[in-house]
């Protein structure tokens, strides 16, 4: 979580980035998305075991409010993407959070949250985090307007269902050609389904220097991935919202990777500005 403020700080140097303060989040929405008892536990801190089941220990008010602000930002970013065609939330998608409770530092699933908030919109998640989006895949069973397309090197129990696809690219034996192919298949699926919004999880934990990374995934290939995603996104004319997703190497190496996503998005969507 500590990378988020540093990415925002780095982006404040760019005059093409416009910042928005998130509005307040209606917690009633969270209670319809996740099991209400779990949401209440996280909001109050009790029972402690359930409130901290995602791994944030000890529970505290500051962390709770940060999680709520991040999810409010997610909804606001979706609105901005519908309005402008491109927007970002400087946050993760929290794709491991399942309908019943959080998991692996993901408290509420910010990807499913958008599908819950906009039931008349078809929400397509292109998840390029190194870990499978297991929580989002489970939400697909609950939300008919949600589609999860997860490209990963570590499965993390991510299931395949109708509207929940998985592409496994091996961390050592895999290659970028297969990864590119998976991205093309993702966009083809989004278009065939008639998606109204694509949420791109621009994970950096697949980078070769990340403790979870794939050996072949160099900085140059990460840049090529961003170029491909934003080019296909722009060509599709489907509004696109991107979030940072995972990334666990040293902050001085990690922040420039995340900032690069914004630079490439800007260069492709607004080449003349
Ligand atoms: Zn990850």
């Amino acid at each position: 979580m500590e990378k988020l403020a540093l990415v925002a700080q780095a982006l404040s140097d760019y005059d093409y980035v416009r910042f928005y303060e998130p509005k307040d989040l209606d917690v009633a929405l969270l209670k319809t998305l996740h099991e209400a008892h779990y949401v209440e536990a996280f909001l109050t801190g009790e029972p402690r075991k359930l409130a901290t089941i995602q791994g944030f220990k000890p529970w505290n008010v500051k962390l709770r409010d940060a999680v709520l602000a991040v999810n409010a930002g997610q909804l606001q970013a979706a609105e901005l993407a519908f309005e402008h065609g491109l927007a970002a939330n400087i946050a993760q998608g929290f794709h491991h959070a399942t309908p019943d409770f959080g998991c692996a530092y993901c408290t509420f699933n910010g990807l499913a949250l958008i599908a819950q908030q906009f039931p008349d919109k078809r929400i397509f998640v292109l998840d390029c985090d190194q870990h499978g989006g297991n929580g989002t895949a489970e939400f697909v069973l609950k939300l008919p307007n949600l589609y999860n397309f997860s490209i990963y090197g570590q499965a993390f129990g991510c299931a395949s269902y109708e509207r929940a696809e998985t592409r496994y690219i091996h961390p050592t034996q895999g290659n970028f050609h297969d990864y590119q192919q998976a991205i093309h298949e993702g966009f083809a699926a989004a278009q065939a389904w008639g998606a109204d919004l694509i949420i791109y999880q621009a994970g950096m934990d697949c980078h070769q220097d990340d403790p979870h990374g794939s050996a072949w995934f160099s900085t140059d290939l990460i840049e090529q991935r961003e170029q491909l995603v934003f080019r296909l996104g722009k060509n599709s004319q489907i509004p696109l919202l991107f979030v940072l997703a995972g990334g666990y190497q040293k902050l001085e190496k990690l922040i420039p990777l995340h900032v690069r996503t914004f630079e490439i998005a800007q260069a492709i969507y607004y080449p003349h500005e």
Side-chain angles (χ1 to χ4, degrees), residues 95-96 129-131 205 246-248:
H95 61 169
H96 297 311
D129 189 276
Q130 177 73 341
H131 304 96
D205 46 358
Y248 305 96

Side-chain angles (χ1 to χ4, degrees), residues 173-193:
Q173 311 301 317
N175 60 67
F176 190 59
H177 178 268
D178 291 349
Y179 201 96
Q180 282 176 305
Q181 179 65 31
I183 290 172
H184 278 283
E185 288 167 5
F187 275 93
Q191 288 191 293
W193 186 53

Side-chain angles (χ1 to χ4, degrees), residues 3-232:
K3 73 185 181 185
L4 304 180
L6 295 171
V7 170
Q9 195 180 21
L11 290 170
S12 66
D13 290 340
Y14 296 88
D15 54 9
Y16 60 76
V17 178
R18 196 188 307 166
F19 288 89
Y20 294 80
E21 283 296 316
K23 302 165 191 166
D24 287 336
L25 183 70
D26 179 4
V27 295
L29 180 70
L30 291 175
K31 289 181 180 173
T32 59
L33 180 69
H34 289 279
E35 211 270 303
H37 182 63
Y38 164 62
V39 175
E40 192 59 29
F42 181 73
L43 294 176
T44 61
E46 295 293 340
R48 190 80 18 155
K49 201 174 165 197
L50 186 57
T52 58
I53 197 165
Q54 83 287 58
F56 287 138
K57 290 172 187 161
W59 181 93
N60 66 78
V61 168
K62 251 179 118 171
L63 183 64
R64 175 196 66 189
D65 291 350
V67 166
L68 294 176
V70 155
N71 283 283
Q74 188 83 344
L75 293 177
Q76 185 146 5
E79 285 175 20
L80 289 166
F82 286 131
E83 189 182 341
H84 299 285
L86 179 70
N89 189 20
I90 304 175
Q92 290 84 322
F94 303 108
H95 61 169
H96 297 311
T98 67
D100 288 341
F101 39 71
C103 165
Y105 303 102
C106 299
T107 308
F108 303 123
N109 192 305
L111 308 160
L113 180 73
I114 294 175
Q116 180 80 355
Q117 170 78 345
F118 300 100
D120 299 332
K121 301 278 192 190
R122 290 182 168 214
I123 309 302
F124 187 96
V125 178
L126 177 68
D127 193 333
C128 290
D129 189 276
Q130 177 73 341
H131 304 96
N134 63 307
T136 319
E138 298 309 315
F139 269 108
V140 160
L141 301 176
K142 194 177 162 181
L143 297 167
N145 65 325
L146 180 65
Y147 198 127
N148 191 50
F149 196 101
S150 191
I151 305 170
Y152 53 74
Q154 294 185 25
F156 218 93
C158 187
S160 301
Y161 304 116
E162 190 188 346
R163 286 181 291 104
E165 294 194 48
T166 53
R167 296 291 186 277
Y168 173 58
I169 315 288
H170 198 281
T172 53
Q173 311 301 317
N175 60 67
F176 190 59
H177 178 268
D178 291 349
Y179 201 96
Q180 282 176 305
Q181 179 65 31
I183 290 172
H184 278 283
E185 288 167 5
F187 275 93
Q191 288 191 293
W193 186 53
D196 297 302
L197 177 71
I198 293 172
I199 311 176
Y200 170 44
Q201 281 246 94
M204 290 302 164
D205 46 358
C206 43
H207 186 271
Q208 60 187 185
D209 295 338
D210 193 280
H212 302 276
S214 288
W216 50 270
F217 221 147
S218 65
T219 302
D220 179 53
L221 293 181
I222 291 267
E223 292 193 0
Q224 287 188 43
R225 180 192 74 177
E226 305 307 61
Q227 284 165 0
L228 178 62
V229 167
F230 290 118
R231 192 161 53 73
L232 293 175

